[in-house]
Structure formats: structure tokens, C-alpha cells
Amino acid sequence: DAGVIQSPRHEVTEMGQEVTLRCKPISGHDYLFWYRQTMMRGLELLIYFNNNVPIDDSGMPEDRFSAKMPNASFSTLKIQPSEPRDSAVYFCASSTRGVETQYFGPGTRLLVL
Amino acid sequence: GENVEQHPSTLSVQEGDSAVIKCTYSDSASNYFPWYKQELGKGPQLIIDIRSNVGEKKDQRIAVTLNKTAKHFSLHITETQPEDSAVYFCAASSDTGRRALTFGSGTRLQVQP
């Protein structure tokens, strides 16, 4: 299996621009998670989906962040407008057992100038 | 909500020695405790996990112990090798409330050849 696929791997953008991060979960996995990793806050859950439905978005920092999962094989995390404090590594993970046995993607390193 | 504390933040051992990383959690309802290994530039990888109905679990050179009364759990790596060098994260979650992983702050393990 190819594992969780994320794109782009690196993104550099200017403050105010829209950023879209993409994720393809492992085939057959019905849970999808979006995390953000920073030195200050560590690994934190932003939102997760079950069967393409958002279950918990309490970790989404503010209205500038939105996530969608239009089908079982694709999800996006959008930041509009982006700010320098959004600079972080964003991970997507998937599983078949809820929070258990999550498989992480390689991450997208985002730098907002 | 859940709070997970992890110690030490850095750990340096000689190849062949053992390494122990400790975590404490605050929510007595937590019942699932995974450990993740993160290598530079990669996403976290699940290496072992334990549920609250088990006190200890072992997989080759790694083991995890859980003390529910004291609300702490530990990762033990024996016969360390240079390829064990990475950042290790503990996490906790429960089946009630927000069903999400709360991660510790990470331990950077360096195995000196």
C-alpha cells in the first residue's frame, strides 16, 4: 500500500494568500484526521472525519481554517487568508479503528511569510 | 480536557543501553495509550500501544507499562541501536468525551554509537 499521501510536501506563501493542503487516506480507512505540529504547541488535532462526515472540529483554530472530505479518498484543509502564525507542519492520518492505529502521512511543511 | 506530560525532553544513551521515557495523564477515563516514533522529516509512526485493561505489552525490544492507579505509562527500549534515534511521543485518549489523541511534548532520543 502507498500509505497516506499528502501534497504539497512544502508550501511557501505570503500572508493573506489562500493555502490548500491535500490528503489521500489509505484505501479502506474510514477515519481521517488533520493535525498541526509546531514547536510551541506540539501535535494537536484540528479536525477528524468518519465516513466523510466531520465529527469533531473543535481543534480548528478559527474561521480562517476549513476542511472538507468530498469522498472516501480525498480531503482538503484550506486556510484563507493565511497568516505567519499558521506556519507549521500539517499532517493527515487515517485509520479503520477511530483514534487507534492511526497511520500518518509525511506532512506538509507550510511557511507563511 | 486531557493533559499528557512527557519526560525527559531529551535523552542520550550509548548503543546497547536501555532507554525509558515516561508519561503521565490527567483524565482517569483515558483507556488507550499509543507511542509514536517520528524521524526527521517524516510523519509519526505507531510503534506500540496499550489499552487500560493491560498492564504491560512487549514487542521485541520495546515494551510499554501502564499504571492506572498512578496514571502513568512508560516506554522501554532495550539494546538500543543508532536507528532508534528519533523523537518519541506518547498519547492518550478515552472512549468518552472528545475521542481524540492528546499527545505529550515529545522526547528526543539520541543513541550514540
Side-chain angles (χ1 to χ4, degrees):
Chain A
D1 201 320
V4 175
I5 299 172
Q6 291 187 247
S7 64
R9 292 295 312 277
H10 302 273
E11 178 81 27
V12 180
T13 191
E14 293 188 348
M15 184 174 61
Q17 296 298 306
E18 177 179 296
V19 176
T20 300
L21 311 181
R22 297 172 176 81
C23 175
K24 176 179 171 56
I26 294 172
S27 178
H29 284 197
D30 54 352
Y31 286 85
L32 184 139
F33 305 81
W34 281 101
Y35 290 91
R36 179 172 66 177
Q37 186 175 41
T38 62
M39 290 296 294
M40 292 298 296
R41 300 177 65 90
L43 260 169
E44 51 183 347
L45 177 69
L46 301 177
I47 185 172
Y48 78 91
F49 297 82
N50 179 216
N51 291 322
N52 313 336
V53 176
I55 303 300
D56 184 337
D57 66 354
S58 60
M60 295 286 263
E62 47 197 275
D63 292 344
R64 297 185 299 105
F65 285 68
S66 63
K68 294 182 179 180
M69 192 165 185
N71 56 62
S73 59
F74 183 67
S75 177
T76 60
L77 178 68
K78 187 176 294 186
I79 308 172
Q80 166 63 18
S82 58
E83 296 182 3
R85 60 194 169 118
D86 302 330
S87 298
V89 182
Y90 292 81
F91 289 104
C92 175
S94 70
S95 80
T96 60
R97 299 176 60 186
V99 296
E100 299 188 19
T101 322
Q102 293 182 36
Y103 293 84
F104 280 73
T108 295
R109 185 172 295 274
L110 173 65
L111 178 61
V112 183
L113 302 174
Chain B
E2 175 67 277
N3 181 48
V4 177
E5 294 191 356
Q6 183 171 346
H7 300 280
S9 56
T10 60
L11 180 60
S12 182
V13 299
Q14 291 293 318
E15 182 177 358
D17 287 349
S18 295
V20 180
I21 303 171
K22 299 181 179 181
C23 289
T24 60
Y25 60 97
S26 61
D27 186 355
S28 56
S30 288
N31 59 1
Y32 175 67
F33 308 92
W35 286 89
Y36 283 83
K37 174 184 180 182
Q38 186 176 22
E39 297 176 335
L40 193 63
K42 297 184 178 180
Q45 177 189 8
L46 179 67
I47 56 172
I48 195 168
D49 57 8
I50 192 169
R51 293 196 63 89
S52 58
N53 58 346
V54 176
E56 183 175 356
K57 184 176 179 180
K58 190 173 182 179
D59 182 3
Q60 298 184 346
R61 297 187 298 107
I62 60 174
V64 57
T65 59
L66 171 65
N67 183 326
K68 282 191 66 179
T69 303
K71 290 192 283 188
H72 68 69
F73 56 112
S74 301
L75 177 71
H76 304 254
I77 306 175
T78 58
E79 301 173 18
T80 54
Q81 302 168 2
E83 52 265 37
D84 294 330
S85 297
V87 179
Y88 292 81
F89 293 93
C90 63
S93 72
S94 74
D95 289 338
T96 61
R98 187 178 193 224
R99 300 182 183 183
L101 290 177
T102 299
F103 285 87
S105 54
T107 297
R108 182 174 300 278
L109 173 64
Q110 182 70 40
V111 180
Q112 306 288 346

